[in-house]
Amino acid sequence: MMHHSHAKHSKGKVSYLESPERRNEFSPEQLLNMIPLKETDNLLDFGAGTGYFSIPAAKRIKGNVYALDIDGAMIEIINEKALEEQVTNIVPVHGSMEALPFAEDSIDIIIASLVLHEIQPLAPLLQQMKQVLKKEGYLICLELEPKISPGKVPRITLEGMELEMNKAGFKVTEKFFPTESLYMLVTQKAE
């Protein structure tokens, strides 16, 4: 049965997304401390998964956190967590990764964690992100640096990602290596 195998796949992904190892390596709080987040911001958590960043972000700001994921099961998890933790400014968005359902200039910060490498080609999406971001808005990208082993999942190197960002009209303002396999780019919508 097709449905069952999907649920199983989701479950494995969820356990990694929520794993203590992942939290110890790099907590959502650490990420949020590194980005120019203002209390009044509206934030888009792009490919929100289980709300790993959405929930902590929502606790820090008065604006909305739009938690967008293509997987309805993830959206349900986020809804449950938001209820449990009494977070009222999360707006779950069950939507496709290719068509962002937001008005132009409506978002201050987009967080894209471990998701951009899955999107081929990336350029059209980055253009859309630029449109929905406000004038000096930020796109925060978190990715794994590829290991040198052929046949593995597609990944984008830091250099490759930086190139894509520049081409799309984002300027990289900061680079971090939160763990040896993880990189983070803070990019700002360039004029």
Side-chain angles (χ1 to χ4, degrees), residues 13-169:
K13 187 171 157 196
V14 169
S15 60
Y16 166 70
L17 290 174
E18 289 291 315
S19 69
E21 298 87 63
R22 184 176 183 210
R23 283 191 188 270
N24 293 341
E25 270 192 352
F26 185 50
S27 73
E29 287 70 29
Q30 280 171 289
L31 173 118
L32 294 167
N33 289 338
M34 290 172 152
I35 65 178
L37 190 61
K38 298 187 300 301
E39 206 182 32
T40 52
D41 281 353
N42 286 320
L43 182 142
L44 165 59
D45 188 0
F46 178 80
T50 55
Y52 184 75
F53 289 118
S54 314
I55 304 277
K59 291 178 175 175
R60 289 193 181 209
I61 62 176
K62 293 199 162 70
N64 284 332
V65 172
Y66 297 95
L68 180 131
D69 206 279
I70 199 163
D71 183 345
M74 297 289 176
I75 297 293
E76 280 170 44
I77 292 173
I78 292 173
N79 274 330
E80 281 163 28
K81 280 194 192 169
L83 273 173
E84 252 168 62
E85 307 204 25
Q86 300 178 318
V87 179
T88 54
N89 56 337
I90 285 196
V91 182
V93 183
H94 186 193
S96 111
M97 298 292 191
E98 274 77 46
L100 299 179
F102 304 101
E104 280 191 28
D105 308 320
S106 60
I107 306 283
D108 297 280
I109 293 190
I110 298 175
I111 295 178
S113 170
L114 304 178
V115 63
L116 292 182
H117 67 270
E118 292 175 12
I119 292 164
Q120 311 281 350
L122 188 52
L125 172 71
L126 293 178
Q127 287 308 322
Q128 285 203 50
M129 287 180 159
K130 206 169 78 175
Q131 279 176 332
V132 303
L133 278 171
K134 291 183 188 168
K135 190 173 166 207
E136 313 226 290
Y138 288 92
L139 166 57
I140 316 295
C141 160
L142 203 62
E143 281 293 339
L144 289 165
E145 189 69 47
K147 301 262 188 300
I148 303 161
S149 55
K152 272 303 227 354
V153 281
R155 298 264 175 229
I156 303 181
T157 62
L158 173 72
E159 288 74 30
M161 186 62 82
E162 198 170 349
L163 200 67
E164 289 273 4
M165 294 291 180
N166 292 336
K167 278 196 305 202

